[in-house]
Amino acid sequence: MDMHSNPEMDIRDPDDHDPDYWGVLLDAIPPVLRAWKLIALVTVLAGAITYFVSPPKTFSSISYVGKFDDATAKYFESIVLSEPILNQVLDKFPNYPKPAMPETSRRRYLRNHIKFALAGRANPKESSLYELE
């Protein structure tokens, strides 16, 4: 008996086949090749928008200092924000924050961006860790 003559052997459920991944991939190539200029333009525009819209790169550093009581913490903060310390930092980084800024503006900018506060939810009445950012 010939197996190919049996019609029931050739009938398959339409959902009972493996997807043709290579066929789908190869079928996608011609539309992509037809639209390559549009794809390149959109990619360049997205990169340009991201470059010009994104905020400038900023870096921050956090140091945990202490355990200080409130009086010692205020004394430490006054030392960190003092003119000699700020001048040493600005001498080490001459282009911070912008190369053309006057010295007094640079010092004021640095002083305004240094944060010294209690770490987390510490109690200021007890000796606690402080964050210097």
XYZ file of all heavy atoms in Angstrom, residues 13-95:
655
model
N -3.402 20.485 10.508
C -4.098 21.611 11.116
C -3.360 22.890 10.716
O -2.134 22.942 10.780
C -4.107 21.425 12.639
C -4.978 22.446 13.332
O -5.785 23.103 12.650
O -4.835 22.587 14.555
N -4.058 23.951 10.293
C -3.369 25.179 9.869
C -2.509 25.792 10.972
O -1.524 26.455 10.703
C -4.505 26.125 9.483
C -5.726 25.302 9.396
C -5.485 24.033 10.139
N -2.867 25.602 12.225
C -2.073 26.155 13.326
C -0.966 25.211 13.764
O -0.229 25.518 14.689
C -2.978 26.444 14.529
C -3.979 27.537 14.228
O -3.651 28.382 13.373
O -5.059 27.541 14.840
N -0.850 24.082 13.094
C 0.121 23.070 13.500
C 1.378 23.141 12.624
O 1.813 22.155 12.087
C -0.526 21.685 13.394
C 0.386 20.606 13.963
O 1.103 20.912 14.928
O 0.381 19.485 13.425
N 1.948 24.323 12.472
C 3.182 24.431 11.703
C 4.139 25.371 12.440
O 3.734 26.252 13.189
C 2.926 24.905 10.279
C 2.297 26.262 10.207
N 3.018 27.417 10.286
C 1.000 26.630 10.064
C 2.212 28.450 10.203
N 0.966 27.992 10.072
N 5.387 25.167 12.240
C 6.410 26.000 12.865
C 6.504 27.319 12.108
O 6.447 27.344 10.882
C 7.774 25.293 12.823
C 7.770 24.024 13.649
O 7.023 23.976 14.646
O 8.517 23.087 13.294
N 6.655 28.407 12.822
C 6.796 29.689 12.122
C 8.121 29.734 11.366
O 9.126 29.173 11.794
C 6.763 30.723 13.248
C 7.055 29.974 14.490
C 6.661 28.549 14.257
N 8.096 30.397 10.256
C 9.274 30.504 9.407
C 9.996 31.809 9.749
O 9.737 32.857 9.166
C 8.835 30.489 7.941
C 10.027 30.485 7.007
O 11.141 30.174 7.461
O 9.826 30.797 5.816
N 10.893 31.737 10.728
C 11.599 32.934 11.184
C 12.495 33.515 10.095
O 12.573 34.723 9.927
C 12.417 32.639 12.438
C 11.570 32.274 13.624
C 11.588 30.992 14.150
C 10.744 33.206 14.213
C 10.807 30.647 15.231
C 9.950 32.886 15.300
C 9.993 31.602 15.803
O 9.215 31.279 16.862
N 13.178 32.668 9.377
C 14.052 33.152 8.308
C 13.235 33.807 7.202
O 13.652 34.814 6.624
C 14.909 32.015 7.742
C 16.014 31.653 8.667
C 16.097 30.544 9.445
C 17.178 32.421 8.944
N 17.245 30.562 10.191
C 17.932 31.712 9.886
C 17.654 33.636 8.486
C 19.136 32.184 10.390
C 18.862 34.108 8.988
C 19.585 33.384 9.930
N 12.077 33.258 6.923
C 11.218 33.855 5.905
C 10.757 35.245 6.315
O 10.730 36.170 5.496
N 10.392 35.390 7.563
C 9.958 36.702 8.064
C 11.113 37.694 7.988
O 10.946 38.845 7.562
C 9.433 36.578 9.516
C 9.189 37.942 10.129
C 8.171 35.738 9.539
N 12.304 37.255 8.382
C 13.474 38.128 8.342
C 13.809 38.531 6.911
O 14.051 39.699 6.618
C 14.675 37.438 8.997
C 15.966 38.238 9.021
C 15.819 39.438 9.935
C 17.110 37.365 9.463
N 13.817 37.571 6.012
C 14.135 37.860 4.616
C 13.057 38.712 3.949
O 13.352 39.534 3.081
C 14.366 36.566 3.849
C 15.610 35.769 4.268
C 15.660 34.437 3.530
C 16.876 36.568 4.008
N 11.794 38.523 4.366
C 10.718 39.349 3.819
C 10.807 40.795 4.297
O 10.275 41.698 3.652
C 9.348 38.778 4.206
C 9.026 37.491 3.459
O 9.694 37.233 2.434
O 8.130 36.764 3.910
N 11.473 41.057 5.433
C 11.598 42.413 5.965
C 12.724 43.194 5.304
O 12.774 44.420 5.414
C 11.824 42.360 7.472
N 13.628 42.539 4.609
C 14.777 43.225 4.016
C 14.373 44.214 2.917
O 14.822 45.357 2.930
C 15.817 42.200 3.515
C 16.466 41.518 4.727
C 16.878 42.866 2.656
C 17.418 40.403 4.369
N 13.538 43.866 1.935
C 13.208 44.843 0.885
C 12.552 46.135 1.396
O 12.948 47.213 0.972
C 12.276 44.061 -0.050
C 12.641 42.639 0.165
C 13.023 42.535 1.603
N 11.581 46.070 2.319
C 11.030 47.349 2.804
C 12.072 48.194 3.538
O 12.062 49.419 3.432
C 9.905 46.938 3.760
C 9.586 45.542 3.423
C 10.801 44.938 2.835
N 12.964 47.553 4.259
C 14.008 48.297 4.961
C 14.951 48.953 3.964
O 15.346 50.109 4.118
C 14.775 47.379 5.946
C 16.018 48.059 6.485
C 13.867 46.953 7.090
N 15.308 48.243 2.919
C 16.190 48.808 1.900
C 15.513 49.952 1.135
O 16.180 50.916 0.752
C 16.646 47.718 0.922
C 17.623 46.691 1.496
C 17.949 45.637 0.444
C 18.891 47.372 1.979
N 14.210 49.870 0.945
C 13.499 50.956 0.273
C 13.431 52.200 1.155
O 13.419 53.312 0.658
C 12.093 50.510 -0.113
C 12.041 49.673 -1.373
C 10.621 49.527 -1.885
N 9.726 48.871 -0.937
C 9.529 47.558 -0.889
N 10.170 46.756 -1.716
N 8.702 47.040 -0.015
N 13.389 52.014 2.473
C 13.220 53.143 3.393
C 14.507 53.505 4.127
O 14.466 54.137 5.169
C 12.122 52.811 4.394
N 15.680 53.170 3.601
C 16.927 53.395 4.333
C 17.198 54.875 4.555
O 17.755 55.260 5.589
C 18.107 52.718 3.640
C 18.569 53.418 2.391
C 18.146 53.182 1.130
C 19.542 54.451 2.319
N 18.782 54.007 0.259
C 19.657 54.806 0.959
C 20.324 55.123 3.254
C 20.516 55.791 0.523
C 21.181 56.106 2.811
C 21.277 56.444 1.467
N 16.800 55.728 3.622
C 17.037 57.165 3.797
C 16.204 57.703 4.954
O 16.694 58.479 5.769
C 16.712 57.919 2.514
C 17.676 57.640 1.386
C 17.267 58.382 0.137
C 18.157 57.982 -1.027
N 17.722 58.615 -2.277
N 14.966 57.283 5.017
C 14.098 57.717 6.114
C 14.618 57.193 7.453
O 14.649 57.930 8.452
C 12.661 57.239 5.876
C 11.656 57.575 6.981
C 11.487 59.080 7.090
C 10.337 56.893 6.712
N 15.047 55.954 7.495
C 15.573 55.364 8.730
C 16.830 56.112 9.172
O 16.993 56.448 10.351
C 15.855 53.862 8.533
C 14.542 53.107 8.333
C 16.630 53.295 9.713
C 14.707 51.672 7.897
N 17.726 56.417 8.230
C 18.951 57.148 8.574
C 18.628 58.552 9.056
O 19.209 59.034 10.038
C 19.883 57.193 7.366
N 17.689 59.234 8.402
C 17.315 60.589 8.799
C 16.709 60.609 10.203
O 17.063 61.450 11.031
C 16.327 61.171 7.787
C 15.817 62.576 8.092
C 16.958 63.578 7.965
C 14.673 62.938 7.167
N 15.810 59.686 10.468
C 15.182 59.622 11.800
C 16.226 59.315 12.870
O 16.203 59.896 13.957
C 14.041 58.583 11.799
C 13.562 58.282 13.202
C 12.895 59.068 10.927
N 17.167 58.444 12.572
C 18.215 58.110 13.538
C 19.087 59.321 13.843
O 19.394 59.609 15.003
C 19.080 56.955 13.000
O 18.235 55.841 12.715
C 20.135 56.548 14.002
N 19.489 60.052 12.809
C 20.320 61.245 13.005
C 19.541 62.319 13.766
O 20.080 62.961 14.679
C 20.836 61.766 11.651
C 21.466 63.134 11.792
C 21.827 60.786 11.058
N 18.279 62.520 13.405
C 17.465 63.508 14.121
C 17.278 63.135 15.584
O 17.357 64.003 16.470
C 16.104 63.660 13.442
C 16.090 64.465 12.146
C 14.698 64.459 11.532
C 16.545 65.884 12.396
N 17.035 61.874 15.877
C 16.877 61.446 17.273
C 18.165 61.669 18.051
O 18.133 62.125 19.202
C 16.458 59.977 17.327
N 19.309 61.374 17.435
C 20.583 61.612 18.106
C 20.828 63.083 18.346
O 21.299 63.490 19.419
N 20.513 63.939 17.368
C 20.713 65.379 17.527
C 19.803 65.946 18.605
O 20.231 66.758 19.433
C 20.472 66.089 16.202
N 18.552 65.520 18.613
C 17.620 65.999 19.641
C 18.085 65.569 21.020
O 18.082 66.359 21.967
C 16.192 65.494 19.346
C 15.637 66.212 18.114
C 15.275 65.689 20.545
C 14.339 65.629 17.595
N 18.520 64.346 21.137
C 19.014 63.857 22.426
C 20.244 64.634 22.866
O 20.380 64.983 24.042
C 19.343 62.357 22.328
O 18.182 61.652 21.911
C 19.815 61.811 23.654
N 21.135 64.932 21.952
C 22.360 65.649 22.290
C 22.061 67.064 22.765
O 22.623 67.534 23.751
C 23.292 65.698 21.079
C 24.558 66.470 21.331
C 25.589 65.907 22.071
C 24.710 67.753 20.846
C 26.748 66.612 22.312
C 25.865 68.462 21.082
C 26.887 67.890 21.808
O 28.027 68.596 22.054
N 21.159 67.763 22.079
C 20.895 69.156 22.421
C 19.888 69.331 23.539
O 19.884 70.369 24.203
C 20.437 69.924 21.175
C 21.538 70.120 20.180
C 21.511 69.478 18.957
C 22.626 70.924 20.480
C 22.531 69.647 18.039
C 23.652 71.099 19.568
C 23.605 70.468 18.351
N 19.033 68.359 23.770
C 18.003 68.487 24.798
C 18.471 67.925 26.136
O 18.040 68.383 27.187
C 16.693 67.800 24.341
C 15.671 67.746 25.448
C 16.132 68.521 23.134
N 19.368 66.969 26.107
C 19.770 66.326 27.356
C 20.539 67.314 28.238
O 21.257 68.182 27.742
C 20.646 65.104 27.066
O 21.850 65.507 26.460
N 20.375 67.205 29.531
C 21.082 68.116 30.435
C 22.586 67.850 30.384
O 23.025 66.760 30.026
C 20.504 67.773 31.813
C 19.945 66.410 31.667
C 19.543 66.251 30.234
N 23.365 68.847 30.747
C 24.816 68.632 30.718
C 25.222 67.584 31.745
O 24.530 67.349 32.740
C 25.383 70.005 31.079
C 24.276 70.707 31.780
C 23.002 70.168 31.212
N 26.351 66.979 31.487
C 26.836 65.955 32.402
C 27.259 66.617 33.708
O 28.013 67.575 33.714
C 28.024 65.219 31.803
C 27.675 64.373 30.629
C 28.890 63.663 30.103
C 28.537 62.837 28.892
N 29.688 62.161 28.328
N 26.754 66.088 34.778
C 27.152 66.567 36.091
C 27.528 65.358 36.928
O 26.990 64.265 36.756
C 26.018 67.337 36.790
O 24.881 66.488 36.885
C 25.644 68.598 36.033
N 28.447 65.570 37.791
C 28.912 64.515 38.658
C 28.812 65.004 40.092
O 29.022 66.175 40.373
C 30.360 64.140 38.331
C 30.548 63.717 36.915
C 30.973 64.617 35.958
C 30.270 62.426 36.524
C 31.132 64.230 34.648
C 30.426 62.027 35.217
C 30.859 62.933 34.273
N 28.480 64.122 40.977
C 28.451 64.489 42.390
C 29.096 63.378 43.195
O 29.162 62.236 42.768
C 27.021 64.739 42.862
O 26.279 63.555 42.816
N 29.571 63.780 44.326
C 30.218 62.840 45.223
C 29.658 63.057 46.615
O 29.488 64.194 47.047
C 31.736 63.086 45.218
O 32.352 62.274 46.171
N 29.375 61.988 47.292
C 28.862 62.074 48.660
C 29.851 61.406 49.584
O 30.287 60.290 49.342
C 27.482 61.408 48.776
C 26.465 62.121 47.897
C 27.014 61.387 50.218
C 25.106 61.479 47.889
N 30.196 62.113 50.637
C 31.057 61.560 51.677
C 30.282 61.565 52.983
O 29.595 62.534 53.304
C 32.313 62.417 51.852
O 33.050 62.445 50.672
N 30.414 60.501 53.707
C 29.802 60.437 55.023
C 30.879 60.758 56.042
O 31.931 60.123 56.070
C 29.208 59.051 55.283
C 28.011 58.778 54.409
C 28.133 58.071 53.226
C 26.764 59.255 54.774
C 27.037 57.841 52.418
C 25.662 59.022 53.978
C 25.802 58.322 52.806
O 24.714 58.107 52.010
N 30.632 61.771 56.837
C 31.607 62.207 57.841
C 30.928 62.207 59.198
O 29.738 62.376 59.329
C 32.163 63.613 57.509
C 33.009 63.582 56.259
C 31.064 64.633 57.370
N 31.710 62.053 60.217
C 31.163 62.114 61.563
C 31.597 60.907 62.346
O 32.484 60.193 61.925
N 31.126 60.726 63.363
C 29.951 61.100 64.110
C 30.217 62.445 64.782
O 31.106 62.570 65.596
C 29.685 60.063 65.168
C 28.765 58.983 64.790
C 28.523 58.076 65.950
C 27.106 57.605 65.882
N 26.752 56.625 66.876
N 29.388 63.413 64.476
C 29.533 64.749 65.040
C 28.299 65.092 65.848
O 27.187 64.718 65.509
C 29.667 65.808 63.937
C 30.911 65.690 63.105
C 30.874 65.982 61.760
C 32.126 65.336 63.656
C 32.003 65.908 60.974
C 33.266 65.251 62.880
C 33.205 65.540 61.544
N 28.535 65.860 66.899
C 27.394 66.502 67.525
C 27.094 67.774 66.734
O 27.818 68.116 65.808
C 27.647 66.785 69.011
C 28.839 67.691 69.242
O 29.522 68.030 68.261
O 29.087 68.056 70.395
N 26.045 68.476 67.075
C 25.599 69.615 66.276
C 26.649 70.730 66.227
O 26.909 71.303 65.170
C 24.273 70.139 66.834
C 23.580 71.087 65.884
O 23.624 70.824 64.663
O 23.006 72.096 66.348
N 27.294 71.026 67.338
C 28.280 72.104 67.375
C 29.507 71.760 66.531
O 30.024 72.600 65.777
C 28.688 72.382 68.817
N 29.980 70.539 66.630
C 31.145 70.120 65.843
C 30.798 70.109 64.356
O 31.637 70.474 63.516
C 31.607 68.725 66.288
O 31.801 68.724 67.696
C 32.896 68.331 65.614
N 29.595 69.717 64.015
C 29.170 69.703 62.615
C 29.150 71.115 62.033
O 29.600 71.334 60.900
C 27.798 69.062 62.490
N 28.663 72.081 62.796
C 28.655 73.462 62.314
C 30.080 73.992 62.150
O 30.373 74.722 61.200
C 27.859 74.352 63.272
C 26.371 74.109 63.178
C 25.598 74.984 64.130
C 24.114 74.667 64.032
N 23.321 75.422 64.983
N 30.964 73.624 63.047
C 32.364 74.029 62.937
C 33.002 73.412 61.692
O 33.695 74.086 60.927
C 33.123 73.618 64.204
C 34.596 73.917 64.153
C 35.062 75.216 64.211
C 35.521 72.891 64.031
C 36.418 75.493 64.160
C 36.878 73.147 63.973
C 37.319 74.456 64.043
O 38.657 74.720 63.969
N 32.747 72.120 61.446
C 33.278 71.437 60.278
C 32.751 72.077 58.988
O 33.503 72.290 58.035
C 32.895 69.950 60.326
C 33.396 69.151 59.170
C 34.714 68.727 59.119
C 32.550 68.820 58.122
C 35.182 67.986 58.045
C 33.016 68.085 57.048
C 34.339 67.667 57.012
N 31.470 72.413 58.976
C 30.893 73.050 57.795
C 31.529 74.404 57.530
O 31.808 74.760 56.384
C 29.382 73.205 57.967
C 28.684 73.805 56.760
C 27.185 73.911 56.956
O 26.712 73.905 58.106
O 26.492 74.023 55.939
N 31.806 75.161 58.579
C 32.444 76.468 58.381
C 33.858 76.320 57.825
O 34.303 77.145 57.027
C 32.460 77.260 59.690
O 33.334 76.649 60.620
N 34.558 75.261 58.210
C 35.900 75.026 57.668
C 35.804 74.654 56.191
O 36.556 75.165 55.357
C 36.628 73.926 58.464
C 36.964 74.429 59.863
C 37.885 73.469 57.744
C 37.531 73.379 60.775
N 34.889 73.764 55.842
C 34.751 73.322 54.451
C 34.376 74.485 53.537
O 34.867 74.582 52.407
C 33.697 72.190 54.350
C 33.331 71.902 52.918
C 34.217 70.940 55.025
N 33.539 75.385 54.007
C 33.090 76.504 53.187
C 33.961 77.752 53.330
O 33.610 78.809 52.813
C 31.636 76.849 53.527
C 30.619 75.748 53.235
C 29.230 76.155 53.705
C 30.608 75.401 51.765
N 35.104 77.634 53.991
C 35.974 78.794 54.184
C 36.693 79.158 52.885
O 36.865 78.338 51.987
C 36.983 78.511 55.292
O 37.877 77.501 54.878
N 37.127 80.420 52.791
C 37.792 80.929 51.596
C 39.054 80.129 51.232
O 39.232 79.789 50.067
C 38.136 82.411 51.781
C 36.925 83.313 51.889
C 36.160 83.426 50.592
O 36.795 83.471 49.507
O 34.927 83.452 50.652
N 39.953 79.820 52.189
C 41.162 79.086 51.797
C 40.859 77.709 51.191
O 41.503 77.306 50.220
C 41.948 78.942 53.094
C 41.442 80.013 53.984
C 40.021 80.225 53.589
N 39.898 76.999 51.747
C 39.559 75.676 51.221
C 38.936 75.805 49.832
O 39.300 75.081 48.898
C 38.600 74.923 52.173
C 39.224 74.749 53.547
C 38.176 73.594 51.573
C 40.464 73.900 53.563
N 38.000 76.736 49.660
C 37.377 76.934 48.362
C 38.415 77.356 47.322
O 38.373 76.905 46.171
C 36.261 77.968 48.449
C 35.037 77.578 49.287
C 34.041 78.721 49.328
C 34.391 76.328 48.746
N 39.356 78.213 47.702
C 40.403 78.640 46.773
C 41.285 77.468 46.346
O 41.684 77.373 45.188
C 41.252 79.750 47.392
C 40.499 81.058 47.464
O 39.540 81.279 46.734
N 40.925 81.931 48.365
N 41.612 76.590 47.289
C 42.427 75.426 46.932
C 41.687 74.512 45.946
O 42.293 73.992 45.002
C 42.800 74.635 48.185
C 43.851 75.309 49.029
C 44.186 74.493 50.269
O 43.682 73.394 50.458
N 45.046 75.051 51.112
N 40.404 74.330 46.167
C 39.616 73.497 45.255
C 39.560 74.137 43.870
O 39.764 73.472 42.852
C 38.191 73.278 45.812
C 37.289 72.620 44.773
C 38.245 72.451 47.075
N 39.321 75.445 43.820
C 39.226 76.121 42.527
C 40.577 76.204 41.823
O 40.639 76.206 40.599
C 38.625 77.513 42.707
C 37.147 77.507 43.137
C 36.673 78.915 43.437
C 36.280 76.862 42.088
N 41.670 76.263 42.580
C 43.004 76.225 41.967
C 43.288 74.856 41.352
O 43.938 74.752 40.315
C 44.084 76.552 42.997
C 44.081 78.020 43.377
O 43.490 78.833 42.634
O 44.673 78.358 44.430
N 42.792 73.821 42.002
C 43.014 72.470 41.493
C 42.190 72.210 40.229
O 42.609 71.457 39.355
C 42.661 71.449 42.570
C 43.019 70.038 42.202
C 42.853 69.099 43.373
C 43.287 67.701 42.966
N 43.239 66.796 44.091
N 41.013 72.829 40.136
C 40.120 72.656 38.989
C 39.864 74.031 38.363
O 38.822 74.646 38.612
C 38.803 72.006 39.412
C 38.987 70.670 40.055
C 38.919 70.530 41.432
C 39.231 69.555 39.276
C 39.095 69.301 42.025
C 39.402 68.309 39.862
C 39.341 68.181 41.240
N 40.775 74.526 37.530
C 40.663 75.903 37.020
C 39.493 76.134 36.064
O 39.071 77.272 35.891
C 41.992 76.126 36.302
C 42.517 74.776 36.018
C 41.973 73.856 37.066
N 38.931 75.107 35.459
C 37.811 75.288 34.531
C 36.459 75.019 35.167
O 35.458 74.927 34.466
C 37.985 74.374 33.313
C 39.144 74.814 32.466
O 39.474 75.989 32.421
N 39.770 73.871 31.797
